[in-house]
Amino acid sequence: MKANKNYKFTNKAHGKWGIMSTILGLISIGSFFMAIYDSFQIKGEAGANYGLVGVWIFLFASIGLGLGLWTRTDQDGYHLFPYLGIVLNLVALFMISFILYAGAYGL
């Protein structure tokens, strides 16, 4: 039986700020869907608390996007989590922007 000798030794690691960017993106998207679900459950009679959730989503997604972009510039690590964080946070920002646009123009 032939042994696999294609080992790749490296000092690269996943950066903690890239992982944090991904976590913030997941929190933002999860909070968005929970707020939408709860708003449907109470038949659209959402109070100021749901607006505050939107502000937190925007803040978390903005910080996560910044962390993802900042970590992406690191040459000594893997780039899976920064890219994933960038995508998730951009999706969260797009979703909250769409909700604000729909509320302002009555979609």
Side-chain angles (χ1 to χ4, degrees):
M1 177 168 236
K2 184 179 176 183
N4 187 3
K5 296 188 182 201
N6 293 328
Y7 295 114
K8 182 177 178 182
F9 296 103
T10 181
N11 291 334
K12 288 185 176 185
H14 291 288
K16 63 181 176 181
W17 297 115
I19 295 171
M20 184 58 131
S21 171
T22 302
I23 290 170
L24 285 172
L26 290 172
I27 289 172
S28 298
I29 291 174
S31 298
F32 178 82
F33 283 119
M34 287 188 334
I36 294 294
Y37 177 77
D38 287 345
S39 179
F40 274 111
Q41 291 297 316
I42 59 175
K43 296 177 178 44
E45 298 295 325
N49 294 340
Y50 291 95
L52 186 61
V53 170
V55 170
W56 282 108
I57 290 170
F58 180 78
L59 287 173
F60 281 175
S62 298
I63 292 169
L65 181 63
L67 285 174
L69 291 171
W70 179 56
T71 307
R72 173 53 192 101
T73 60
D74 183 23
Q75 299 295 325
D76 295 334
Y78 292 116
H79 300 297
L80 171 69
F81 286 112
Y83 281 139
L84 190 59
I86 289 168
V87 169
L88 289 174
N89 288 304
L90 282 175
V91 167
L93 284 172
F94 174 76
M95 290 188 311
I96 200 69
S97 298
F98 178 74
I99 290 294
L100 291 174
Y101 179 79
Y105 294 106
L107 290 179

